[in-house]
Amino acid sequence: MSAITWTPLWGWPVASLIAVAMLAMGIMQIVLWRRSRGGPTDVTAGSVARRVVMCLAVAAAVVAPSLTVSVTTTAVRNTDVVIAVDVTGSMAVTDARYGSAESVSRISAASSAVKDITDMYADSNFSAISFGSSASVDVPLTPDTLAVDNWADRLTVEPTSTSSGSSLDTPLDLLLRTLKSIRDGHPHDEIILYLVTDGENTSAETRRTYSSLRAYLDDAFVLGTGSTQGGRIPVSSVDRTTDDGGKSSSESPEWVIDPTTGKPGTSRMDTKELESLADEMGGTRVIMTKDATARQAMSSSTGKSWRTRTTRSSTTTSSPIVWPIAAVMLVVSLWELTVWLRTSRRLL
């Protein structure tokens, strides 16, 4: 349904003054013509009509008559999923369970979770980040789920020789830059973060908060892997690390020694730290167990709700009616010019 409204370009006060002045000039043309009838003047009814019409056209233009119409817009919203996986030495501990009673390394459980996530968000874009002593973007934003799954298959913990303990704020700066870049490049997309870690933080420094990520996130999940009972940490190296995420191929693996006790160190999943991470991002903490995987913990309806979707919204917009006024001005101006040329030729 359309309707005529008025949308003056310079606001009603200025437009009203100009419109009144033009109307006054039009009336003045008529008054002066009537007073000069019969006298020595070359003003004709036609010339008065033309000038009055010009005044009326200018008055109409400044108050800008507009046609208000209802417009339906269609937008396609995509989902960008950022997956950050902890690859510190503690992720090699074989105390995790993922959908079964079999114990697997924490990094193996993380790998399985990543592949479940890509399956749940099949129509989305993905970016993959690993973090240990440092953080890196291993897979830039891409719709290629196969690339992310291949990355998950190759996930291994960092070598013990380069490890400096677990610091959960290591990926924070990189995550902040990555999420901001995605938001700037795709302002209408939904952005979800999955942080997969055992929650262990051995750094002596106070961990920085993840709350700064909230500005760029629509949702966040912290997936906890491991157990509160914990387990010994195997020594991992580039040439000895296997597909099991740091579990040595030797029958008698070496263990990371705790320098304070001189005995093999034990790593335990920190559920309180996981809860704090989720709370800071306004997200959800999920502990992966034999009964709960990434797929089961987040219902299928959650995954489907974040897929690419088309939304429609109705809005009203005003379109100034310019061409009729311009057409009238053009016709009258050409008429005035023609009369002026004919009169000038007669006077020569």
Side-chain angles (χ1 to χ4, degrees), residues 104-127:
V104 296
S105 67
R106 298 172 185 176
I107 196 71
S108 294
S111 176
S112 298
V114 170
K115 286 186 279 189
D116 276 350
I117 292 169
T118 58
D119 187 57
M120 290 168 59
Y121 299 89
D123 298 324
S124 304
N125 299 317
F126 296 90
S127 180

Side-chain angles (χ1 to χ4, degrees), residues 159-318:
T160 303
S161 59
T162 64
S163 179
S164 57
S166 300
S167 179
L168 288 177
D169 61 5
T170 298
L172 185 56
D173 293 333
L174 180 60
L175 281 172
L176 191 60
R177 292 194 301 269
T178 301
L179 294 173
K180 183 180 184 302
S181 175
I182 294 174
R183 178 61 73 198
D184 291 343
H186 309 270
H188 301 296
D189 284 7
E190 308 285 357
I191 302 178
I192 307 173
L193 172 64
Y194 280 89
L195 182 64
V196 188
T197 178
D198 55 18
E200 188 176 50
N201 189 43
T202 60
S203 174
E205 299 180 1
T206 303
R207 178 178 65 80
R208 291 177 294 163
T209 178
Y210 273 60
S211 58
S212 58
L213 303 183
R214 283 194 179 198
Y216 308 106
L217 290 173
D218 294 285
D219 207 350
F221 294 96
V222 177
L223 305 185
T225 179
S227 68
T228 54
Q229 292 77 24
R232 292 182 294 180
I233 309 170
V235 174
S236 58
S237 62
V238 175
D239 57 344
R240 294 184 63 188
T241 300
T242 69
D243 289 339
D244 197 27
K247 186 175 180 181
S248 173
S249 59
S250 171
E251 294 181 0
S252 300
E254 297 179 25
W255 307 106
V256 175
I257 302 300
D258 186 342
T260 60
T261 63
K263 297 180 179 180
T266 301
S267 170
R268 295 179 177 84
M269 179 177 61
D270 191 333
T271 55
K272 291 184 178 179
E273 196 70 47
L274 295 171
E275 185 65 40
S276 296
L277 288 169
D279 183 64
E280 291 165 11
M281 294 186 290
T284 305
R285 182 198 70 172
V286 177
I287 305 300
M288 297 184 293
T289 65
K290 65 182 181 64
D291 299 317
T293 65
R295 182 185 298 278
Q296 293 163 336
M298 280 73 72
S299 66
S300 58
S301 61
T302 302
K304 290 177 181 177
S305 69
W306 290 110
R307 292 183 177 183
T308 303
R309 56 189 177 182
T310 301
T311 57
R312 291 179 173 84
S313 59
S314 296
T315 58
T316 57
T317 182
S318 296

Side-chain angles (χ1 to χ4, degrees), residues 7-27:
T7 55
L9 181 61
W10 300 295
W12 276 111
V14 175
S16 299
L17 287 175
I18 297 176
V20 169
M22 297 309 298
L23 290 174
M25 290 177 64
I27 295 173

Side-chain angles (χ1 to χ4, degrees), residues 52-75:
V52 169
V53 170
M54 287 183 181
C55 291
L56 293 177
V58 173
V62 295
V63 296
S66 302
L67 191 63
T68 301
V69 295
S70 179
V71 178
T72 301
T73 59
T74 301

